[in-house]
């Protein structure tokens, strides 16, 4: 988080220097602003690391859901898990598009600096960084449009009880986690109800940390998973 803040701060300072230099034609500030554009590259690299990590989290979850689909006990359960898989797949596509945009920006930004500062010493096509940057911008725009489609069409129409269906498909793992935590957290001080509530809270944290459904759903659907777990996985009518 500190690296992201520092990168954003440097880009902000560079934009101010560049604006002042262009308005008042100050050559020294133009040179400083020219080199200060390099921090934008660090921001693109940091974004790439984040998106790569998210991509692997989503693909792992998608594979796990594939196994849950095959082992579902009924047709309705199988269809519900497939729905979750489809949403997960849209997030994989969105993350891939954003990753391509970030990687292209990470290549185009320093290459552009090199071309502008040392173009006479390079044998590469001087227009190539521009086309890479244009592709990065185009991919960013497409991923933004796709995000709105996923947010307001795909995820908006999900079943409100989706959290319950997801938890039921992972019931064996959740109950095993609960039993393990129950043995570790047992004491003679708190009442049984308090201990049970705390155990389910820790179980919810462990489950959501392991499977990371927060990378797939918006806050409302993700919250329904958390609520169902904290309620002890008692079916609602």
């Amino acid at each position: 988080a500190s690296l992201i803040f520092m990168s954003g701060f440097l880009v902000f300072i560079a934009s101010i220097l560049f604006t002042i230099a262009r308005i008042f034609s100050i050559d020294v500030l133009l040179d400083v602003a020219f080199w200060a554009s390099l921090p934008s590259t660090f921001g693109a690299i940091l974004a790439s690391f984040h998106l790569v990590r998210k991509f692997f989290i989503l693909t792992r979850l998608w594979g796990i859901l594939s196994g849950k689909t095959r082992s579902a006990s009924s047709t309705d359960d199988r269809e519900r898990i497939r729905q979750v898989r489809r949403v997960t797949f849209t997030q994989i596509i969105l993350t891939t598009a954003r990753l391509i945009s970030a990687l292209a920006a990470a290549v185009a930004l320093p290459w552009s600096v090199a071309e502008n500062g040392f173009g006479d010493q390079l044998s590469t096509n001087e227009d190539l960084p521009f086309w890479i940057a244009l592709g990065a911008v185009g991919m960013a725009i497409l991923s933004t449009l796709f995000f709105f489609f996923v947010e307001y069409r795909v995820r908006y129409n999900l079943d409100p009880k989706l959290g319950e269906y997801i938890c039921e498909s992972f019931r064996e793992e959740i109950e095993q986690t609960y039993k393990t935590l129950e043995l570790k957290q047992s004491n003679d001080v708190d009442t049984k109800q308090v201990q049970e509530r705390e155990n389910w809270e820790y179980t919810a944290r462990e489950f959501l940390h392991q499977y990371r459904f927060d990378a797939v759903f918006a806050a409302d659907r993700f919250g329904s998973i958390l609520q169902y777990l904290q309620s002890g996985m008692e079916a609602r009518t």
Side-chain angles (χ1 to χ4, degrees), residues 215-230:
V216 179
F217 299 111
D220 54 349
R221 298 295 185 265
F222 178 74
S224 68
I225 302 175
L226 182 62
Q227 291 173 6
Y228 188 69
L229 286 169
Q230 290 180 331

Side-chain angles (χ1 to χ4, degrees), residues 7 11 27 45 48 53-54 65 74 87-88 126-127 153 159 187 190 205 209 217 229 232-233:
S7 176
V11 172
D27 294 335
I45 294 172
S48 300
R53 181 171 175 269
K54 184 176 181 179
L65 291 171
S74 66
V87 178
T88 305
E126 62 180 11
D127 294 329
R153 182 60 185 267
D159 194 319
N187 62 74
D190 297 322
R205 293 181 183 181
H209 174 73
F217 299 111
L229 286 169
M233 296 185 66

Side-chain angles (χ1 to χ4, degrees), residues 1 4-5 13 15 46 61 68 90 107 119 129 150-151 178 187 223:
I4 295 175
F5 172 79
I13 295 298
S15 64
L46 288 173
L61 182 58
K68 293 295 180 181
T90 61
V107 172
V150 172
E151 185 68 23
Y178 178 82
N187 62 74

Side-chain angles (χ1 to χ4, degrees), residues 40-101:
S40 301
T41 305
F42 301 140
I45 294 172
L46 288 173
S48 300
F49 279 123
H50 167 73
L51 292 168
V52 166
R53 181 171 175 269
K54 184 176 181 179
F55 176 81
F56 283 114
I57 288 173
L58 290 169
T59 51
R60 173 181 174 272
L61 182 58
W62 189 79
I64 292 172
L65 291 171
S66 300
K68 293 295 180 181
T69 304
R70 291 190 294 269
S71 61
S73 57
S74 66
T75 304
D76 290 340
D77 292 340
R78 191 174 297 110
E79 181 57 33
R80 289 162 182 164
I81 300 174
R82 281 178 180 155
Q83 186 182 25
V84 179
R85 284 185 64 206
R86 287 193 290 269
V87 178
T88 305
F89 188 69
T90 61
Q91 291 298 317
I92 292 175
I93 296 175
L94 180 60
T95 301
T96 302
R98 288 173 170 172
L99 178 59
I100 292 173
S101 177

Side-chain angles (χ1 to χ4, degrees), residues 94-132:
L94 180 60
T95 301
T96 302
R98 288 173 170 172
L99 178 59
I100 292 173
S101 177
L103 290 174
V107 172
L109 286 169
W111 196 343
S112 176
V113 171
E115 284 288 349
N116 291 329
F118 312 98
D120 54 342
Q121 302 177 25
L122 300 176
S123 59
T124 57
N125 187 347
E126 62 180 11
D127 294 329
L128 198 54
F130 168 78
W131 292 112
I132 295 176

